[in-house]
Amino acid sequence: MTLYLPTRENSSKVESNSIITYGIVAYHNNKKVASVPNVSPNLFYVISLCFRFNILKLSPLHLRDVLNDML
């Protein structure tokens, strides 16, 4: 089974403000099989996406395509 989890990315400076973004990492049998960095600066949104992907058992092959369609 594939497990999707949010991951914290490096913060970047925009107009002297620090912005933290979150990505999504897919694990299958405790091995990282896919990842998409910088999905959103909103942690709760990324958590909700991971929750949906886990419930729907999304294949890691389709992770980027689904994110492109949703965002």
Side-chain angles (χ1 to χ4, degrees):
M1 180 179 157
T2 303
L3 178 64
Y4 294 92
L5 297 172
T7 182
R8 183 178 172 164
E9 302 294 328
N10 292 332
S11 60
S12 59
K13 293 224 175 198
V14 176
E15 296 179 10
S16 74
N17 291 327
S18 215
I19 296 177
I20 298 169
T21 59
Y22 300 92
I24 295 177
V25 178
Y27 293 95
H28 186 75
N29 295 331
N30 295 327
K31 291 183 182 177
K32 183 176 172 180
V33 292
S35 68
V36 178
N38 303 321
V39 172
S40 174
N42 185 336
L43 175 60
F44 296 107
Y45 179 66
V46 176
I47 290 171
S48 71
L49 289 175
C50 290
F51 181 74
R52 284 187 213 171
F53 298 162
N54 288 325
I55 293 294
L56 297 173
K57 298 180 181 172
L58 178 70
S59 169
L61 297 173
H62 302 294
L63 178 61
R64 281 194 188 276
D65 293 331
V66 170
L67 285 173
N68 284 333
D69 290 344
M70 294 182 81
L71 302 174

